[in-house]
Amino acid sequence: MMRFFVALCCAVLFVACSSDTITNPQSTIAVTLDGEPEVTWNIADGKTSVIVQFFVRDGAGFPVSDSDFDVSLLVDGKLDNESLLSKNSEELEADLALGLLLDSSYSMLQHQPPAFRPMIEAAKTTIDNAKAIWDSRPGTFTWDAVWFDQFLHRQVGSWKSSDLLGIPQPQAGTVTKLFAAIDYQANRMRTAYNDGIANGPRDRHVMVVFTDGADNYSWFNNAGTSLSKTTAAGAAFQTFGAGPVTMQDVLAAIPTHPRLTVHVIGFGSNVATDELKSIANAGKGVYLQNPSTTDIQGLFDRVSQEFLTLQVRGATIPLQPGDYQFELRIKSKHTGASDTVKFRFHAGDNTARKL
């Protein structure tokens, strides 16, 4: 699994982290479960399976790649290695549906250097990184992209990641329909979830929003516009309008999706920071802000850690009926720092469950 940046320049604001000062973030490590552990019993072979999803973070709250720590799974203090499920086991399958939401307003060309091309290149790299990870682990990775100015634009059909590079360059005079774009993408992803796309218990839907400005056009109703277009390379997309959408509409739409996480990147000095923080909070994601055009790829890499470092581990164990203690232990390969999560579970019959 490829490694991602674990820190950015000091200009980046990571609002999900604690404000406490940590002298050496790498000196501590913490594991947190993502959702409830799955405990099931197989009547055919009498074995109980325990599967956990989790993140590992350093002392500054940054996610840590699994190449940097060791994992131990124990039941009542021990576990036969033969019971451990391989990381590539189908039992650990987890799907990811990623929705990109990219600002294509004219202001993206007015930074020095211009930010539009670096943004779509970083978006392409994010897709390539995710695909490389899912090529070596069980589960399915899907993605799509929406970009916005005074209209919304969405890819039509299946795009290659390189098709992102053909998104048309912003035109002078366009404005920003940010709220309408987020509302559209949240509802579209909820529909996909309801239609069976990445809707299993370990699956995730993630939206990544990148914008360099405040919304100034979602109040206007241009829903009557709908045009079919193609990029210079021949990739199909649709340009369309939207009815009036408010910030309150956005904050109400995001939680209607049961498994959606929204991460927001606010770029430049003209972003509406409080609004973007509220959107990230509604989506239980992170908000990053950076006024510099020099490390857009770093911003995407940093936010990618929030979904590409999610770990899934488990074991299938021949246990007699009874109650047991499960331990998930992680230990840094570099510092020796460690952390443990423990919980009780019932095994060995059809009432198997986390207690």
Side-chain angles (χ1 to χ4, degrees):
M1 181 180 293
M2 60 182 59
R3 311 173 80 178
F4 297 90
F5 293 99
V6 297
L8 294 175
C9 62
C10 61
V12 172
L13 173 65
F14 177 36
V15 299
C17 292
S18 167
S19 60
D20 297 338
T21 299
I22 299 174
T23 303
N24 181 10
Q26 286 72 41
S27 65
T28 61
I29 199 167
V31 57
T32 55
L33 294 181
D34 182 70
E36 285 290 302
E38 296 177 50
V39 181
T40 57
W41 181 65
N42 187 333
I43 192 173
D45 60 17
K47 295 180 180 180
T48 301
S49 294
V50 182
I51 297 175
V52 290
Q53 278 186 294
F54 59 95
F55 284 102
V56 177
R57 298 180 184 272
D58 65 17
F62 294 133
V64 179
S65 168
D66 67 350
S67 62
D68 295 321
F69 59 83
D70 294 315
V71 179
S72 299
L73 305 180
L74 306 172
V75 175
D76 285 351
K78 59 183 184 295
L79 186 62
D80 185 342
N81 286 337
E82 293 183 357
S83 297
L84 294 175
L85 292 170
S86 164
K87 288 196 298 181
N88 297 323
S89 171
E90 290 184 4
E91 289 90 339
L92 301 183
E93 178 176 331
D95 298 343
L96 171 65
L98 176 62
L100 296 173
L101 194 57
L102 308 175
D103 194 334
S104 62
S105 57
Y106 186 66
S107 59
M108 290 290 290
L109 296 179
Q110 297 177 305
H111 300 277
Q112 294 300 324
F116 178 72
R117 182 72 181 187
M119 175 192 68
I120 58 175
E121 289 176 346
K124 175 187 180 300
T125 299
T126 298
I127 297 300
D128 292 340
N129 288 344
K131 186 177 185 303
I133 290 172
W134 256 261
D135 282 346
S136 62
R137 63 184 289 180
T140 300
F141 167 66
T142 57
W143 68 276
D144 80 344
V146 172
W147 57 102
F148 59 94
D149 42 39
Q150 63 189 15
F151 297 108
L152 310 185
H153 317 268
R154 66 174 180 87
Q155 68 180 67
V156 174
S158 179
W159 276 26
K160 304 183 295 293
S161 64
S162 58
D163 288 329
L164 290 170
L165 304 179
I167 291 176
Q169 184 167 284
Q171 299 299 306
T174 55
V175 289
T176 304
K177 213 170 175 68
L178 172 63
F179 295 160
I182 297 175
D183 182 73
Y184 170 79
Q185 187 74 314
N187 287 304
R188 187 206 62 78
M189 296 184 77
R190 184 183 69 245
T191 298
Y193 178 89
N194 291 338
D195 288 344
I197 303 299
N199 69 348
R202 292 188 297 276
D203 300 341
R204 300 170 69 84
H205 282 224
V206 175
M207 185 195 308
V208 176
V209 181
F210 186 101
T211 182
D212 77 335
D215 182 282
N216 62 4
Y217 204 59
S218 288
W219 60 270
F220 182 68
N221 185 350
N222 59 3
T225 297
S226 182
L227 301 170
S228 297
K229 300 182 178 181
T230 58
T231 68
F237 68 96
Q238 182 183 17
T239 293
F240 56 101
V245 177
T246 67
M247 175 69 169
Q248 289 68 35
D249 294 329
V250 171
L251 297 181
I254 290 172
T256 63
H257 189 310
R259 292 288 289 171
L260 176 64
T261 303
V262 180
H263 303 300
V264 183
I265 300 172
F267 173 76
S269 57
N270 296 319
V271 293
T273 300
D274 289 344
E275 290 180 345
L276 296 183
K277 284 182 181 180
S278 296
I279 291 167
N281 288 338
K284 299 179 181 179
V286 300
Y287 171 63
L288 304 179
Q289 181 179 340
N290 193 341
S292 171
T293 61
T294 59
D295 196 19
I296 291 177
Q297 183 64 62
L299 289 168
F300 273 86
D301 286 343
R302 171 63 191 89
V303 85
S304 296
Q305 293 178 73
E306 292 296 326
F307 52 91
L308 296 184
T309 59
L310 180 65
Q311 307 297 320
V312 186
R313 297 289 193 280
T316 298
I317 320 157
L319 295 171
Q320 297 184 30
D323 297 343
Y324 301 85
Q325 178 172 274
F326 189 91
E327 294 182 46
L328 166 63
R329 296 179 181 176
I330 56 97
K331 183 176 181 180
S332 170
K333 294 181 179 180
H334 309 294
T335 67
S338 62
D339 193 23
T340 301
V341 169
K342 302 178 182 180
F343 58 87
R344 302 285 297 173
F345 71 101
H346 181 78
D349 56 34
N350 58 11
T351 64
R353 67 199 185 280
K354 177 181 177 294
L355 300 174

